[in-house]
Amino acid sequence: MFGDMMGMMNKIKEAQEKVEATKERLKTVLIDEQSSDGLLKVTITAGREIKNISVAPELLEDKEQLEDYLVLTLNKAIAKAGDINETELAAAAKDGMPDIPGLDGFM
Protein backbone atom coordinates (compact mmCIF):
# COMPACT_ATOMS: atom_id res chain seq x y z
CA MET A 1 0.00 0.00 0.00
CA PHE A 2 2.85 2.38 0.86
CA GLY A 3 4.38 1.71 -2.57
CA ASP A 4 1.05 2.59 -4.20
CA MET A 5 0.96 5.85 -2.25
CA MET A 6 4.52 6.73 -3.31
CA GLY A 7 3.67 5.91 -6.90
CA MET A 8 0.62 8.17 -6.77
CA MET A 9 2.66 10.98 -5.21
CA ASN A 10 5.24 10.66 -7.98
CA LYS A 11 2.47 10.76 -10.61
CA ILE A 12 1.01 13.89 -9.00
CA LYS A 13 4.45 15.54 -9.03
CA GLU A 14 4.83 14.60 -12.70
CA ALA A 15 1.40 16.12 -13.41
CA GLN A 16 2.44 19.35 -11.69
CA GLU A 17 5.62 19.44 -13.77
CA LYS A 18 3.63 18.88 -16.97
CA VAL A 19 1.26 21.72 -16.04
CA GLU A 20 4.19 24.06 -15.38
CA ALA A 21 5.85 23.09 -18.68
CA THR A 22 2.55 23.69 -20.46
CA LYS A 23 2.24 27.14 -18.86
CA GLU A 24 5.70 28.02 -20.13
CA ARG A 25 4.89 26.74 -23.63
CA LEU A 26 1.64 28.74 -23.70
CA LYS A 27 3.71 31.91 -23.25
CA THR A 28 5.08 31.27 -26.75
CA VAL A 29 1.77 30.46 -28.50
CA LEU A 30 0.67 33.59 -30.37
CA ILE A 31 -2.93 34.50 -31.10
CA ASP A 32 -3.74 37.14 -33.70
CA GLU A 33 -7.07 38.95 -33.60
CA GLN A 34 -8.37 41.91 -35.53
CA SER A 35 -11.38 44.17 -35.71
CA SER A 36 -14.03 43.22 -38.24
CA ASP A 37 -12.72 45.81 -40.71
CA GLY A 38 -9.04 45.06 -40.05
CA LEU A 39 -8.21 48.54 -38.79
CA LEU A 40 -6.96 47.27 -35.43
CA LYS A 41 -4.85 44.15 -34.97
CA VAL A 42 -3.60 42.64 -31.72
CA THR A 43 -1.31 39.75 -30.93
CA ILE A 44 -1.34 38.10 -27.52
CA THR A 45 0.04 34.88 -26.12
CA ALA A 46 -2.07 31.98 -24.92
CA GLY A 47 -0.72 33.01 -21.52
CA ARG A 48 -2.69 36.26 -22.01
CA GLU A 49 0.23 38.63 -22.49
CA ILE A 50 -0.20 41.38 -25.09
CA LYS A 51 2.66 41.28 -27.59
CA ASN A 52 1.61 43.74 -30.29
CA ILE A 53 -1.08 46.26 -31.19
CA SER A 54 -1.31 47.69 -34.69
CA VAL A 55 -3.60 50.66 -35.33
CA ALA A 56 -4.56 51.99 -38.78
CA PRO A 57 -3.91 55.75 -39.11
CA GLU A 58 -7.59 56.57 -39.61
CA LEU A 59 -8.41 55.18 -36.17
CA LEU A 60 -6.07 57.70 -34.58
CA GLU A 61 -8.43 60.50 -35.58
CA ASP A 62 -11.30 59.24 -33.41
CA LYS A 63 -10.35 58.53 -29.81
CA GLU A 64 -13.70 56.99 -28.84
CA GLN A 65 -13.76 54.69 -31.85
CA LEU A 66 -10.18 53.58 -31.12
CA GLU A 67 -11.06 52.84 -27.50
CA ASP A 68 -14.10 50.82 -28.58
CA TYR A 69 -12.01 48.87 -31.08
CA LEU A 70 -9.37 48.16 -28.45
CA VAL A 71 -11.89 46.87 -25.93
CA LEU A 72 -13.72 44.64 -28.43
CA THR A 73 -10.64 43.26 -30.16
CA LEU A 74 -8.65 42.67 -26.98
CA ASN A 75 -11.63 40.93 -25.36
CA LYS A 76 -11.96 38.59 -28.36
CA ALA A 77 -8.25 37.79 -28.23
CA ILE A 78 -8.29 37.23 -24.46
CA ALA A 79 -11.29 34.90 -24.79
CA LYS A 80 -9.46 32.82 -27.42
CA ALA A 81 -6.33 32.75 -25.26
CA GLY A 82 -8.38 31.68 -22.25
CA ASP A 83 -9.97 28.82 -24.16
CA ILE A 84 -6.60 27.56 -25.39
CA ASN A 85 -5.05 28.01 -21.95
CA GLU A 86 -7.79 26.10 -20.12
CA THR A 87 -7.90 23.26 -22.66
CA GLU A 88 -4.13 22.77 -22.69
CA LEU A 89 -3.72 22.94 -18.90
CA ALA A 90 -6.62 20.56 -18.29
CA ALA A 91 -5.16 18.07 -20.76
CA ALA A 92 -1.71 18.30 -19.15
CA ALA A 93 -3.14 17.82 -15.66
CA LYS A 94 -5.39 14.92 -16.62
CA ASP A 95 -2.65 13.19 -18.60
CA GLY A 96 -0.30 13.13 -15.62
CA MET A 97 -2.74 12.21 -12.87
CA PRO A 98 -2.64 8.75 -11.31
CA ASP A 99 -5.58 6.41 -11.76
CA ILE A 100 -7.65 6.98 -8.63
CA PRO A 101 -11.00 5.15 -8.54
CA GLY A 102 -13.92 7.56 -8.66
CA LEU A 103 -11.81 10.54 -9.78
CA ASP A 104 -12.83 10.32 -13.45
CA GLY A 105 -16.07 12.14 -12.76
CA PHE A 106 -14.20 15.19 -11.48
CA MET A 107 -11.67 15.72 -14.29
Side-chain angles (χ1 to χ4, degrees), residues 48-91:
R48 300 179 190 112
E49 180 181 348
I50 298 170
K51 289 294 189 178
N52 187 48
I53 296 176
S54 175
V55 181
E58 54 265 35
L59 277 180
L60 297 176
E61 298 168 9
D62 186 343
K63 179 181 179 289
E64 285 184 30
Q65 183 181 15
L66 175 57
E67 291 170 345
D68 289 344
Y69 272 52
L70 282 167
V71 168
L72 292 172
T73 306
L74 285 169
N75 280 335
K76 285 195 303 186
I78 290 168
K80 282 184 182 178
D83 289 344
I84 292 169
N85 194 298
E86 290 174 24
T87 301
E88 292 288 324
L89 290 177

